Amino acid sequence: MTSGITRPATTEHWVRTWGASPQAPDSSVSSIEPLENATVRQVVRVSGGGHRVRVRISNEYGGTPLTLGAASGAVAGSEGGDGEGSPLAVTFSGRPFTTVPAGAPVLSDPVDIPVAALSRLVISLYLPGRVDTVTCHGTFHALGWTVPGDATPHASTPADATPMPAGALLTAVEAQTATASKAIAVLGDSRVDGIGSTPGADRRWTDLLAERLLAREGATPYVINQGIGGNRLLNDGIGTAAVARFDRDILSTPGLGHVVIAVGNDVVFSFAPRTEETAGFLDMFPGAPVTVDDIVAAHLQLASRARAHGAKAYAATIAPYGGSEMYSADGDKAREQVNAWIRSSGAFDGVLDFDAVWRAPDDPTRIRDGLHMGDHLHGSDAGYAALAEAVDLSLFD
């Protein structure tokens, strides 16, 4: 097999099958140290399959042009970080190298790597020159390493590879399919990004939803996680504000058919008590507090923008967080008001009632025992599994 770049145009379709929202490598997130003469190797699990793939590389938060000296891809073997057979070269406009301008992404040529649904890909990117600012994804739920020199031709990950604390440069994998497929793109915060789930085990609720959809004949299994831990709808902080990154992370998704809005941090941070424990964390989140009306208006904007692109729009209710350091009675009141509107407004094509799934029967301000990671704010593997199991799959028929 060789990389495919000379085939004539066909009626086949591209659909995104994996994603990670790019972030600036600032002090608020896990980030990658400057790199030079090194290979970034990452293993990602696709949701749905296809008979060819292409990858999106981001320099959107880089201050200078980024040179990719080489790139390769392979289906991951049983050892996780190693590919099955020799990796295939990934090219860009027919060349084995490319320069990505500061502030821009680049999309590779199609590569003849057939991928089955829920399979893992090893993507390796060689950086010959110094990269001081590495566009990243701060919550890393995959496996990844940096390797000295050019490791793109090699299937195995060497012993001197260094584990990565964050995702780097790779922000999407897209698959080519013979028939039109629809993707479910999920805009979210840390509860979408899966904080509290087992790293490298694909236990976020979006991962588990893809598994459920695949098992149900006729339903799309393409589920794209565009969550950023700490993200808000209306203000920057950890990651660009969700309303600002919506076009890039959601509306530009090939094959987009469904959009899920699941961002609850505007309530959490706007009403959080300022204590000795929370002060340093809250200082990372500039911007004026927002109101319930502000949050409602943001949801309506995003739903309208999704429908203008031919996609259906869904909203998730905000799950409880009583017992966490961020909790306040005023915040919980605002959360209940937003949730009541999401459920009753008729503004969406469907509602994912995550509040109803997680709230404790004896105290609806708290997550029920066993479903949070211990901080009363983020889910455990069991908690995210409960969310995935509660989603009505018929919404995505």
Side-chain angles (χ1 to χ4, degrees), residues 61-77:
Y61 294 98
T64 58
L66 169 73
T67 298
L68 284 176
S72 67
V75 175

Side-chain angles (χ1 to χ4, degrees), residues 16-24 42-45 56-61 105 135-142 166-174 185-188 192-193 204 206-207 223-229 245 248-250 252-253:
R16 186 159 293 173
T17 186
W18 176 86
S21 297
Q23 294 176 250
Q42 294 168 95
V43 181
V44 300
R45 192 183 79 164
R56 182 184 187 274
I57 310 301
S58 174
N59 191 30
E60 285 156 286
Y61 294 98
T135 297
C136 68
H137 183 79
T139 306
F140 200 33
H141 284 284
L169 305 177
L170 178 67
T171 60
V173 177
E174 296 166 3
V186 184
L187 180 77
V192 171
D193 210 13
R204 302 172 298 178
T206 53
D207 301 319
V223 184
I224 317 306
N225 188 310
Q226 300 289 21
I228 293 178
R245 65 184 179 92
R248 179 196 68 193
D249 291 349
I250 303 296
S252 66
T253 301

Side-chain angles (χ1 to χ4, degrees), residues 89-144:
V90 176
T91 60
F92 304 86
S93 302
R95 301 180 299 174
F97 56 85
T98 192
T99 298
V100 189
V106 66
L107 195 64
S108 79
D109 301 324
V111 187
D112 287 325
I113 302 177
V115 291
L118 306 181
S119 61
R120 290 178 171 83
L121 284 176
V122 181
I123 306 296
S124 299
L125 308 172
Y126 173 54
L127 309 173
R130 183 174 174 85
V131 182
D132 286 307
T133 305
V134 182
T135 297
C136 68
H137 183 79
T139 306
F140 200 33
H141 284 284
L143 299 171

Side-chain angles (χ1 to χ4, degrees), residues 221-242:
Y222 298 91
V223 184
I224 317 306
N225 188 310
Q226 300 289 21
I228 293 178
N231 202 223
R232 292 177 291 177
L233 281 169
L234 292 162
N235 288 301
D236 293 344
I238 299 182
T240 303

Side-chain angles (χ1 to χ4, degrees), residues 366-377:
R366 289 175 176 254
I367 302 172
R368 67 174 67 216
D369 290 342
L371 298 188
H372 63 82
M373 63 176 288
D375 65 352
H376 301 278
L377 182 62

